């Protein structure tokens, strides 16, 4: 029967097709099967990954856009400079480790004519409480905290870039963010805190010499300072030229300070007096006497941060690297006899007759040396020499922030009465640590108050531990 045959053929055909399919299935290598099983999950993972990637791209793009927008459009660029500032070359000094990033940045200056006719008024000493000024290093891996800001009268953000045209800017996005955060937090936790920023020659502002010598550049700098202060509603600027050792710069530095002073006066009103300060060195070598007009500077600034730190470090002398505390209050040996805080401060007081304008620098760090040899001169466990690495000029040692001293047994430290400082000497390991602690800081505070100094300046606040151990030792 044709119908039956057709049906039978169809069924056979279907069976054959099914068998062929089964064979094909069977012939597929078994190792593929797990993949099929997991394909669903792989798809999900893939999608999630793509979504994350897309979110990242959007976040990056918007951050870049905001950054660009702020830099280029919200702040009027200064058209007196033709090119964008280049990352200023920085000299790594022995004092602090520096960041190594060189990210390009943009101008922050707005144009504002300088009032050439504004009269010059010598600045009166600022009446007020004992100043506790804290430098805050923006390149530090530690951030300043609100409780620390409550224990300061002034905070100085260190540091902004100054290019060779005198234009100020933030070195990179991270530093700008730290600055914005500092300003925001300061206003929230301590409304009476004075917020300043530093222009530091050894950090991002190696162009002091070019700027002081050129009226246009000075004008740009003055406008840039005023613009920054007004934009962020902060209180002032600190200049840290390390150091003007050329005689030609003696008057130029004072004139620069005078111009900045005039600019600050021109934007001041009865509610807002802006602050100008400088950092000056801890001793007076012959060049320095000729190149710094101390009294000329004094007339322009509100206060001087005397850098009474780093008396001893890993540099060469005729004896090698001379160990000692970073900031001895008194004493010293041989050629270092005057290398102490008392000598420096007495000298500044003698020269200026204005202790109320002087801030005494205090370190929140120590200095450690390796390869330390025998004591110098008399047998006293403070002054040693350290040997350089064989065949090299560099010494092994480093500056250690107070909060990083956990590797040293601080309770085993000895007290050196002459210098009023603690130290640790490990003869077996030939290691020496000179540092500052609660006791030495209390001695320094007593000294500063006895001499009627205007205050102290801390290098730098973020080096303190989480319990504010050192900051609590310098409260009045
Ligand atoms: C900067 O721009 C302003 C306004 O466009 C102009 O008046 C001024 O001359 C410009 N300055 C320079 C130095 O080009
Ligand atoms: C502090 O320095 C002054 C001036 O150099 C000096 O006369 C005085 O003796 C010093 N004080 C101490 C305790 O060394
Ligand atoms: C400060 O002046 C006093 C008195 O004139 C003098 O004895 C002392 O040596 C001076 N010290 C310094 C460091 O200039
Ligand atoms: C630290 O020094 C103190 C005082 O010398 C000593 O008693 C203590 O055992 C030392 N601690 C350590 C961990 O070495």
């Amino acid at each position: 029967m044709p119908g039956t045959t057709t049906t039978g053929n169809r069924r056979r055909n279907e069976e054959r097709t099914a068998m062929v399919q089964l064979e094909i299935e069977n012939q597929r290598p078994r190792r593929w099967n797990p993949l099929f099983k997991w394909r669903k999950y792989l798809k999900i993972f893939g999608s999630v990954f793509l979504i994350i990637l897309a979110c990242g791209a959007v976040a990056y793009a918007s951050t870049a856009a905001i950054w660009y927008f702020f830099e280029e459009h919200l702040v009027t660029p200064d058209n007196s400079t033709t090119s964008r500032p280049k990352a200023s070359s920085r000299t790594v000094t022995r004092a602090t480790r520096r960041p190594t990033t060189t990210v390009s940045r943009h101008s922050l200056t707005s144009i504002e004519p300088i009032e050439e006719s504004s009269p010059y008024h010598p600045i009166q000493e600022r009446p007020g409480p004992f100043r506790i000024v804290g430098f805050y290093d923006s390149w530090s891996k530690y951030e300043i905290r609100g409780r620390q800001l409550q224990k300061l009268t002034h905070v100085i953000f260190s540091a902004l870039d100054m290019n060779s045209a005198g234009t100020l800017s933030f070195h990179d996005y991270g530093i700008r963010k730290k600055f914005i955060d500092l300003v925001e937090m300061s206003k929230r936790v301590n409304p009476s805190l004075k917020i300043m920023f530093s222009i530091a020659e050894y950090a991002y502002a190696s162009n002091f010499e070019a700027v002081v010598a050129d009226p246009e550049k000075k004008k740009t700098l003055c406008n840039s300072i005023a613009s920054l202060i007004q934009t962020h509603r902060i209180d002032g600027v600190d200049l840290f030229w390390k150091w003007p050792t050329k005689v030609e710069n003696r008057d130029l530095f004072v004139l620069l300070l005078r111009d900045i002073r005039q600019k600050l006066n021109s934007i001041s009103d009865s509610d807002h007096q802006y602050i100008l300060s400088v950092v000056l060195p801890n001793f007076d070598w012959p060049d320095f006497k000729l190149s710094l007009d101390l009294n000329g500077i004094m007339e322009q600034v509100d206060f001087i941060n005397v850098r009474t730190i780093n008396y001893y470090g890993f540099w060469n002398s005729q004896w090698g690297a001379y160990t000692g505390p970073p900031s001895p209050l008194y004493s010293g040996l041989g050629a270092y006899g005057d290398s102490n805080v008392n000598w420096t401060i007495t000298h500044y007081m003698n020269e200026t007759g204005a202790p109320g304008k002087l801030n005494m620098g205090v370190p929140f760090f120590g200095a450690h040396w390796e390869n330390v040899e025998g004591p110098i001169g008399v047998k006293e466990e403070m002054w040693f020499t350290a040997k350089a690495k064989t065949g090299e000029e560099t010494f092994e040692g480093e500056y250690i922030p107070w909060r990083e001293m956990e590797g040293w047994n601080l309770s085993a430290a000895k007290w050196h009465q002459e210098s009023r400082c603690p130290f640790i000497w490990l003869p077996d390991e030939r290691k020496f640590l000179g540092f500052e602690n609660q006791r030495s800081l209390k001695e320094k505070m007593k000294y500063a108050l006895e001499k009627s100094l205007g205050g102290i300046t801390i290098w730098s606040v973020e080096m303190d531990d989480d319990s504010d151990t050192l900051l609590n030792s310098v409260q009045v």
Side-chain angles (χ1 to χ4, degrees):
M1 299 228 299
T4 317
T5 313
T6 315
T7 314
N9 282 346
R10 202 191 298 136
R11 194 175 297 134
R12 264 198 305 279
N13 282 344
E14 281 170 2
E15 278 168 8
R16 204 177 298 136
T17 314
M19 276 172 65
V20 168
Q21 274 178 355
L22 198 67
E23 274 169 30
I24 291 171
E25 291 282 297
N26 285 341
Q27 277 166 12
R28 280 199 176 121
R30 282 211 165 266
R31 60 195 155 89
W32 284 96
N33 288 345
L35 196 62
F36 281 126
K37 204 165 118 195
W38 289 103
R39 195 163 57 182
K40 191 170 76 186
Y41 299 105
L42 284 175
K43 268 187 188 163
I44 293 170
F45 281 140
S47 314
V48 169
F49 181 71
L50 282 178
I51 289 167
I52 290 171
L53 211 64
C55 289
V58 168
Y60 180 82
S62 41
T63 310
I66 289 167
W67 175 234
Y68 175 83
F69 185 66
F70 262 96
E71 289 294 287
E72 292 287 19
H73 302 279
L74 288 189
V75 183
T76 320
D78 182 1
N79 61 349
S80 66
T81 59
T82 48
S83 61
R84 267 182 194 172
K86 288 198 256 352
S88 55
S89 70
R90 286 172 286 113
T91 326
V92 175
T93 66
R94 53 211 179 192
T96 337
R97 274 159 291 172
R98 312 273 161 240
T100 50
T101 48
T102 46
V103 182
S104 69
R105 61 249 132 67
H106 314 286
S107 158
L108 268 181
T109 319
S110 61
I111 304 145
E112 214 177 308
I114 194 162
E115 287 88 59
E116 301 292 357
S117 58
S118 71
Y120 158 59
H121 298 295
I123 301 312
Q124 298 304 304
E125 247 179 66
R126 194 166 289 263
F130 188 84
R131 291 182 291 265
I132 300 182
V133 181
F135 266 79
Y136 170 37
D137 276 349
S138 63
W139 49 78
S140 167
K141 64 180 170 190
Y142 305 109
E143 294 197 3
I144 202 162
R145 298 185 311 278
R147 205 177 53 201
Q148 294 173 322
L149 293 172
Q150 288 170 339
K151 294 173 183 171
L152 300 173
T153 59
H154 301 67
V155 64
I156 303 183
F157 182 85
S158 178
L160 261 80
D161 283 28
M162 177 177 73
N163 73 356
S164 59
T167 306
L168 297 177
S169 64
F170 293 99
H171 191 67
D172 59 36
Y173 179 76
I175 287 182
R176 183 176 193 278
K177 183 174 183 310
K178 275 194 167 180
F179 176 76
I180 303 281
D181 289 349
L182 171 71
V183 173
E184 187 275 323
M185 185 161 60
S186 299
K187 290 185 188 294
R188 189 158 38 84
V189 304
N190 185 358
S192 64
L193 179 68
K194 303 291 183 197
I195 309 165
M196 300 167 68
F197 65 92
S198 160
I199 306 173
E201 196 258 355
Y202 65 95
Y204 305 118
S206 57
N207 300 304
F208 269 93
E209 220 157 46
V211 173
V212 289
D214 185 324
E216 272 304 307
K217 291 176 178 176
K218 278 202 292 183
K219 204 158 147 186
T220 303
L221 176 61
C222 290
N223 288 344
S224 218
I225 289 171
S227 161
L228 207 98
I229 285 176
Q230 288 181 313
T231 304
H232 297 282
R233 299 179 210 288
I234 58 170
D235 302 282
V237 60
D238 177 81
L239 262 60
F240 191 165
W241 183 352
K242 191 181 177 192
W243 306 106
T245 49
K246 290 188 186 155
V247 179
E248 309 89 270
N249 293 329
R250 182 186 158 96
D251 294 338
L252 293 178
F253 190 31
V254 175
L255 290 174
L256 171 68
L257 292 171
R258 192 200 60 183
D259 286 358
I260 297 173
R261 184 84 253 170
Q262 286 178 354
K263 185 72 197 177
L264 294 181
N265 285 350
S266 77
I267 61 170
S268 293
D269 54 41
S270 53
D271 290 337
H272 256 106
Q273 300 294 316
Y274 296 104
I275 305 169
L276 172 61
S277 70
V278 287
V279 177
L280 292 183
N282 64 9
F283 56 97
D284 98 314
W285 62 89
D287 285 348
F288 171 53
K289 211 175 197 115
L290 297 174
S291 64
L292 274 186
D293 175 3
L294 210 46
N295 286 301
I297 292 170
M298 207 70 165
E299 284 180 354
Q300 305 302 333
V301 300
D302 293 278
F303 51 81
I304 293 176
N305 302 297
V306 187
R307 203 162 154 87
T308 45
I309 62 171
N310 289 350
Y311 286 93
Y312 296 90
F314 333 105
W315 49 83
N316 221 340
S317 75
Q318 65 185 98
W319 305 279
Y322 215 174
T323 66
S327 183
L329 188 50
Y330 303 106
S331 93
L333 273 185
Y336 283 74
D338 291 339
S339 286
N340 60 58
V341 176
N342 172 53
W343 191 91
T344 306
I345 292 295
T346 311
H347 180 78
Y348 273 85
M349 283 169 58
N350 276 3
E351 293 283 315
T352 64
K357 277 199 173 186
L358 303 175
N359 295 344
M360 182 175 92
V362 298
F364 275 12
F365 60 85
H368 124 252
W369 286 257
E370 308 249 349
N371 301 328
V372 178
E373 306 208 301
I376 295 167
V378 296
K379 185 171 169 16
E380 192 180 6
E381 286 194 327
M382 178 55 105
W383 322 106
F384 299 93
T385 54
K387 218 168 62 180
K389 279 190 229 170
T390 322
E392 286 181 40
E393 282 292 293
T394 54
F395 293 85
E396 288 179 81
E398 60 179 342
Y399 290 98
I400 313 176
W402 166 257
R403 62 179 303 140
E404 285 181 7
M405 285 181 193
E406 65 279 339
W408 294 80
N409 183 357
L410 294 187
S411 55
K414 289 187 181 164
W415 179 256
H416 186 248
Q417 180 58 21
E418 303 267 290
S419 63
R420 311 281 200 278
C421 281
F423 70 99
I424 295 175
W425 162 232
L426 303 173
D428 295 339
E429 297 167 50
R430 313 226 57 84
K431 279 188 186 176
F432 178 93
L433 173 74
F435 65 110
E436 200 74 35
N437 64 7
Q438 299 95 309
R439 185 172 171 191
S440 62
L441 285 170
K442 286 196 173 124
E443 292 274 356
K444 286 188 170 70
M445 282 299 284
K446 192 163 148 262
Y447 179 92
L449 291 168
E450 272 170 16
K451 300 281 178 187
S452 307
L453 299 185
I456 56 158
T457 296
I458 298 161
W459 274 284
S460 46
V461 177
E462 80 287 342
M463 293 178 177
D464 199 3
D465 59 30
D466 288 341
S467 321
D468 300 348
T469 302
L470 297 190
L471 204 45
N472 288 341
S473 309
V474 295
Q475 298 301 305
V476 183

